[in-house]
């Protein structure tokens, strides 16, 4: 063989001699020790033999004892023999090892364990240590040799081997001597066989003697040790030398070592060692590679063939799957990393013939691989390997004709090691499991198979709607759901991951399928049970996905609201029910779990009055959300998704508080109710009251509030407010204003403005407070400033908020003076849209706000004229393509014209009555009277339209794909909102009816069917439902 | 779940025993029911057959006695302590469940998933 040619006999001899010398020294030292010890023992009046034996028996299992005895003495001989005839002797060595040895020296050694003579012990220990280390790090030995013999690295391997072996043998003998009288931990039981395996391996190498043996297990673990513990780069080299020739080994190695290796490598690019792994994750290279030589060490490939067929090779099968799973690891985290290999692999098979090579190109970055591949699992697999080999055969992966061989092939494919193998086994016996098989494997009795199958499913489903659908049709979803209750973390985690991917997307049938097999309670149950962050992220992510589908919202509320609140929202928000005075308040943690959960609640909070009621009454929820937001403001961290979710929930819960909150009637303001619809004077009176005296007036009605109302402080309460009452306490105004000032996130801005809009609507005491508080907190300039925002929906929300705020007379005056120009500048001038090009909805909202401001205030109408608005209004009225804009504009114009004192000015500017009349084309008279714009603002209906769009727009946050696609989905929300007539962000912007005037409602209805729908929803007699 | 009046009904049922929770003067079961022969069966979201006027579990409070006992939303209550619940008014059902002198109610319920499970196992 080449090895032999290369190797120079002299070098071998030299190294062998060196070793020989060392061994002799060691032997002598040991002999000495032994003599010493026995002498001492004799001196001490102990019956040495018996005692030592007793000790042995007590401390060690019998079998172990025997091994020790057998091996100890021959070792000396071995080393001697080896030195003389290195090459041939390798084999002999083994034989010798297996010979029962004479226990002579053993006695002494054991005796030393007694602990009577310290000196002896220490010395022995020392010896043991040195040698032991060698055993675990053959590298060390190699190094020595390399030093002595710088030439021909390959040649050295054999001598090294021998050295190792010999040393090992010795070590075995020493093991029972372990310092504390304990067997050396790592070595203990496997050590004997461990030695064995090493030897055999080397035999193969040197003597072309191939033994198909069952030692791969041990060998592997050996490799792991080697790999993970050696810092020496030699280790890598060594590793190659040893394994690459042995394809079978390295295959095994590849799969196993991943778990162990990854963590240490995490931070940097793994050196050579990494390459095999890459190829590992690229299962289908076979055809592409053809016969191209692999970069690895070429030796031994022919041997490999022989080994291939050995049964031992089946072990790794489960690992093959594990690798699948592993490759999924990152998928869960970073979608874009994922696409690479596995998906292609899977898709190729499932989807058909596409070989998809180019898709395989992006090779996974090592750093992306999660460290998450826990050692425990690894350990578990090792433990279970033997038991489940047989069942692997039954696994559907194996093809019928070849049985286990099929799985073997599969493994190789994965390993993708040696080209020659590929060439020989050209015929494609191996294939990816098809979908029914994978689903069948979910029910496999072996847990790792289940979890691997689930992981593979997750992977297959990633961004593939067809597969999701197929999984559903093949009834895979109920099985996955049932796995959620599986006690093994690995299994329920992977099942959950698969469900998360399946639940994502536009196909609501998948979501319904999860719900139909009680997936939602199962998820909630698991959430209560598990403390594993990753699992919790998966659960809440799945729920978030599910919550985007309207019919499931109530189901989630029914099963999970309190659990989500207690398990996630409250703990992560930092809110404490009973704050400890000593500890400072905790800040919110913007974890993924919190983000997911708040997103889920955000979605479900838009499900109508009942949903809002449930959320408001959910203990601790509002408190915790507020706390989280306050903490966000405190830390000036207001742009993240969690904050956005929280504000949106708050906004939605603030909708209709004045109607829906228990006890709201007490706070209703009777005068206010009649004010809006009725004519100017009456209204004016009310508004004046609102300015300053109004508070008193209201105070009179609700005697209790009197004092506080005057000062506009929060009404004093005997006990601190909590729960839903917090929603409309004037303190929240400052919070929302802070968000409006600081946040850069349009959705957050919109939601905060929407919350103010909701709170300032309606006629009840609290909204009066809120309107006044916004002014006192200098919120009006902040809002006006936001009219200049680039974001359409922000402008819209702010405009409507201003409109509601202007119910307060003082606010109306201020807004009229300071906001008019900004409002007007947002209007399109004629057909030519302004730079911002706002949507119809926004324009209508602004027109309605302007209308509100100029109503009952000729001063404001005057500022409107001064802001050059008439020209724009007339242009809109005449030329706008949108009937709604036309209506709203004409409405403003009519109001302006109604101020007789202004007509003079208007006439001077060249306007006449015709400009302020409805263009005949625009609308029939009847609807005109209806002030069409209002339908938009009076909006209980938004909700419905929202709902309909929801499935698309509603924050299906792509849990599984945070990649570019994922983002596009998020954005989609916004895109989607462009199509809607309703409002911008995917959440319910709920707008308050400004006035409850019946007239308006009428045309509102006629104008918009959706209104009716929504109302009908709420009004419809609910089926009787009794708590028992 | 459709059946012919007058014919015996075959249903896969599960026994559920709920220990009521005392809450002040009240005994709480921790779930709500919908349906009954005086109600509009079309509005029952849980029934397969929209003419089914049976009593259905519409909500189960988290952590409540009913949830602990394994009752699930959408379960159809067939019997309460031996009393038939498939032909009762909503109020009769409520009263059956809320008898002050009974601390324990034994329900016979059926649910889709149960039937499916049975059907499935019979097929295999």
């Amino acid at each position: 063989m080449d090895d032999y040619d290369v190797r120079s006999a002299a070098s071998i001899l030299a190294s062998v001699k060196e070793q020989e010398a060392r061994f002799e020294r060691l032997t002598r030292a040991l002999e000495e020790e032994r003599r010493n010890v026995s002498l001492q023992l004799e001196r001490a009046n102990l019956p040495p033999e018996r005692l030592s034996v007793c000790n042995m028996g007590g401390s060690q299992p019998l079998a172990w004892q025997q091994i020790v005895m057998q091996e100890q003495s021959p070792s000396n001989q071995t080393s001697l023999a080896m030195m003389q005839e290195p090459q041939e002797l390798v084999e002999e060595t083994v034989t010798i090892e297996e010979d029962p040895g004479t226990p002579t020296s053993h006695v002494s050694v054991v005796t030393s364990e007694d602990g009577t003579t310290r000196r002896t012990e220490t010395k022995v220990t020392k010896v043991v240590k040195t040698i032991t280390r060698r055993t675990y790090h053959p590298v060390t030995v190699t190094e020595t040799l390399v030093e002595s013999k710088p030439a021909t690295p390959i040649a050295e391997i054999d001598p090294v081997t021998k050295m190792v072996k010999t040393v090992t043998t010795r070590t075995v003998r020493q093991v029972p001597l372990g310092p504390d009288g304990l067997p050396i931990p790592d070595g203990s039981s496997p050590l004997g066989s461990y030695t064995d395996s090493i030897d055999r391996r080397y035999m193969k190498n040197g003597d072309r003697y191939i033994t198909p043996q069952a030692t791969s297990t041990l060998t592997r673990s050996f490799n792991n040790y080697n790999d993970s513990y050696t810092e020496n780069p030699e280790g890598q080299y060594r590793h190659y030398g040893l394994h690459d020739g042995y394809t079978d080994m390295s295959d095994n190695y590849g799969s196993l070592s991943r778990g162990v290796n990854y963590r240490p490598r995490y931070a940097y690019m793994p050196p050579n060692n990494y390459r095999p792994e890459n190829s590992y994750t690229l299962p289908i290279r076979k055809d592409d590679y053809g016969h191209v030589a692999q970069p690895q060490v070429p030796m031994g490939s022919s041997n490999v063939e022989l080994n291939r067929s050995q049964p031992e090779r089946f072990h790794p099968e489960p690992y093959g799957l594990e690798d699948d799973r592993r490759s999924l690891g990152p998928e869960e985290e970073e979608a874009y990393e994922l696409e690479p290999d596995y998906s292609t692999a899977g898709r190729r098979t499932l989807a058909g013939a596409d070989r998809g090579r180019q898709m395989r190109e992006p090779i996974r970055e090592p750093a992306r691989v999660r460290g998450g591949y826990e050692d425990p699992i690894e350990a578990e697999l090792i433990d279970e390997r033997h038991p489940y080999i047989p069942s692997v055969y039954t696994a559907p992966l194996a093809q019928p004709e070849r049985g286990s061989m099929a799985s073997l092939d599969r493994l190789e494919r994965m390993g993708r090691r040696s080209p020659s193998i590929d060439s020989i086994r050209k015929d494609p016996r191996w294939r990816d499991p098809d979908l029914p098989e994978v689903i069948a494997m979910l029910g496999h009795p072996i847990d790792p198979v289940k979890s691997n199958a689930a992981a593979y499913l997750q992977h297959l489903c990633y961004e593939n709607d067809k597969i999701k659908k197929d999984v559903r049709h093949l009834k895979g979803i109920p099985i996955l759901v049932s796995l959620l209750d599986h006690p093994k973390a690995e299994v329920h985690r992977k099942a959950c991951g698969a469900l998360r991917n399946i639940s994502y997307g536009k196909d609501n049938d998948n979501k319904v399928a999860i719900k139909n097999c009680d997936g939602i309670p199962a998820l909630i149950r698991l959430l209560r049970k598990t403390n594993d962050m990753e699992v919790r992220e998966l659960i809440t992510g799945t729920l978030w996905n599910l919550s985007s589908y309207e019919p499931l919202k109530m189901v989630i509320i029914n099963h999970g609201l309190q659990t989500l609140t207690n398990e996630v929202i409250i703990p992560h928000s930092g809110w404490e029910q009973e704050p400890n005075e000593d500890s400072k308040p905790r800040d919110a943690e913007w974890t993924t779990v919190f983000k997911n959960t708040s997103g889920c609640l955000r979605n479900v909070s838009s499900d109508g009055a009942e949903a809002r009621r449930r959320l408001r009454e959910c203990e601790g929820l509002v408190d915790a959300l507020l706390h989280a937001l306050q903490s966000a403001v405190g830390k000036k961290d207001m742009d993240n998704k969690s904050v956005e979710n929280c504000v949106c929930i708050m906004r939605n819960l603030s909708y209709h508080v004045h109607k829906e909150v228990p006890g709201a009637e007490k706070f209703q303001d009777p005068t206010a109710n009649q004010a809006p619809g009725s004519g100017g004077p009456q209204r004016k009176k009310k508004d004046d009251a609102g300015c300053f005296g109004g508070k008193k007036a209201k105070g009179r009605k609700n005697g209790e509030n009197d004092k506080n109302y005057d000062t506009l402080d929060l009404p004093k309460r005997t006990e601190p407010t909590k729960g839903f009452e917090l929603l409309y306490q004037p303190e929240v105004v400052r919070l929302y204003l802070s968000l409006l000032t600081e946040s850069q996130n349009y959705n957050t801005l919109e939601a905060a403005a929407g919350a103010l809009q909701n709170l300032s609507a309606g006629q009840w005491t609290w909204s009066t407070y809120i309107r006044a508080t916004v002014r006192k907190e200098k919120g009006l300039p902040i809002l006006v400033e936001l009219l200049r925002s680039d974001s359409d929906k922000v402008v819209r929300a702010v405009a409507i908020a201003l409109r509601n705020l202007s119910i307060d007379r003082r606010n109306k005056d201020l807004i009229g003076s300071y906001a008019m120009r900004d409002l007007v500048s947002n209007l399109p001038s004629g057909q030519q849209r302004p730079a911002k090009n706002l949507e119809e909805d926004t324009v209508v909202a602004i027109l309605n706000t302007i209308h509100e401001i100029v109503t009952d205030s000729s001063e404001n109408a005057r500022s409107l004229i001064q802001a050059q608005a008439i020209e724009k209004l007339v242009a809109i009225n005449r030329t706008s393509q949108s009937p709604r804009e036309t209506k709203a504009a004409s409405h403003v114009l009519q109001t302006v014209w109604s101020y007789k004192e202004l007509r003079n000015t208007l006439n001077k500017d060249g306007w006449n009555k015709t400009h302020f009349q409805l263009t005949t084309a625009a609308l029939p008279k009847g609807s005109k009277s209806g002030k069409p714009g209002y339908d938009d603002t009076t909006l209980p209906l938004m909700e419905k339209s929202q709902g309909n769009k929801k499935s698309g727009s509603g924050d299906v946050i792509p849990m599984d794909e945070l990649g570019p696609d994922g983002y596009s989905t998020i954005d989609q929300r916004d895109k989607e909102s462009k199509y809607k007539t309703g409002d911008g962000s995917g959440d319910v912007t709920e707008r308050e009816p400004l006035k409850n005037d019946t007239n308006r409602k009428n045309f509102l209805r006629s104008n918009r069917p959706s209104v009716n729908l929504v109302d009908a929803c709420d009004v419809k007699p609910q089926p009787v439902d009794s708590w028992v | 779940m459709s059946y012919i009046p007058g014919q015996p009904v075959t249903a896969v049922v599960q026994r559920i025993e709920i220990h009521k929770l005392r809450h002040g003067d009240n005994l709480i079961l921790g779930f709500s029911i919908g349906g009954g022969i005086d109600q509009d069966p079309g509005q029952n979201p849980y029934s397969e057959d929209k003419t089914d006027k049976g009593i259905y579990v519409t909500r189960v409070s988290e952590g409540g006695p009913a949830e602990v006992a394994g009752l699930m939303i959408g379960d159809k209550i067939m019997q309460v302590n031996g009393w038939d619940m498939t032909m009762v008014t909503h109020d009769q059902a409520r009263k059956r469940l809320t008898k002050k002198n009974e601390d324990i109610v034994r329900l016979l319920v059926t649910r889709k998933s149960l039937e499916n499970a049975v059907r499935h196992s019979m097929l295999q």
Side-chain angles (χ1 to χ4, degrees), chain A residues 516 518 524-525 528 557-564 610 613-614 1020-1028, chain B residues 27-35 39 43 46 58-63 67 72-73 90 94 97-98 113:
Chain A
N516 281 344
D518 292 319
I524 297 291
R525 248 193 329 269
R528 270 189 294 231
I557 290 176
N558 284 332
H559 286 103
L561 176 58
Q562 196 68 54
T563 302
L564 288 170
E610 172 68 4
R613 186 184 67 76
R614 297 285 292 277
K1020 172 175 74 185
Q1022 294 284 322
V1024 182
D1025 196 45
S1026 334
W1027 279 101
V1028 289
Chain B
L27 286 169
I28 294 179
L29 284 160
F31 67 98
S32 71
I33 53 168
Q39 302 292 316
Q43 289 200 42
Y46 302 107
T58 54
R59 286 181 283 177
V60 177
S61 59
E62 284 175 55
E67 195 192 40
M72 294 189 190
I73 289 181
H90 186 85
R94 191 178 52 77
L97 286 162
T98 56
S113 57

Side-chain angles (χ1 to χ4, degrees), chain A residues 315-431:
Chain A
H315 298 191
E317 157 59 358
Y319 292 103
L321 269 184
E322 185 191 352
D323 265 275
D324 267 347
R325 187 191 52 178
R326 196 175 295 287
S327 77
L328 287 178
E331 171 164 356
E332 302 160 7
E333 285 292 294
E334 307 285 355
Y336 45 93
E337 294 286 357
L338 302 180
E339 260 314 25
D341 346 337
Y342 269 96
S343 41
T344 24
R347 275 184 207 152
R348 192 184 50 109
T349 334
L350 293 159
D354 166 32
R355 286 262 134 173
R357 167 142 168 100
Q358 72 287 11
M359 298 193 62
R360 262 178 267 132
E361 293 301 326
I363 287 178
R364 199 186 331 283
E365 287 287 315
R368 297 303 337 154
V369 179
R370 293 199 111 198
Y373 277 89
E374 298 80 7
D375 295 294
I377 291 155
E378 215 73 52
E380 178 186 302
L381 287 172
I382 291 169
D383 288 342
E384 289 180 11
R385 172 153 351 103
H386 287 298
Y388 75 68
I389 292 168
S391 49
V392 165
Y393 288 73
T394 67
L397 275 183
Q399 286 193 336
E401 74 274 21
R402 287 279 291 191
S404 44
M405 279 313 287
S407 53
L408 206 196
D409 289 353
R410 170 187 163 81
L411 182 98
E412 264 158 32
R413 281 261 198 162
M414 300 244 179
R416 188 112 321 272
R417 239 58 206 334
S418 161
S420 57
I421 294 168
D422 292 338
S423 56
I424 287 186
R425 347 180 97 227
K426 198 75 180 188
D427 66 330
R429 272 164 307 203
W430 180 78
R431 62 191 175 87

Side-chain angles (χ1 to χ4, degrees), chain A residues 58-101:
Chain A
S59 62
Q60 317 257 336
L62 204 63
W64 177 240
Q65 234 175 333
Q66 280 169 354
I67 292 172
V68 172
M69 290 178 172
Q70 283 174 2
E71 296 194 350
Q72 89 187 125
S73 106
S75 67
N76 289 338
Q77 295 164 15
T78 311
S79 57
L80 286 171
M82 238 173 60
M83 287 177 272
Q84 283 152 10
E85 280 183 284
Q87 285 159 27
E88 310 305 331
L89 277 182
V90 182
E91 230 175 306
E92 278 179 32
T93 314
V94 177
T95 344
I96 291 170
E97 270 184 347
E98 277 156 13
D99 276 350

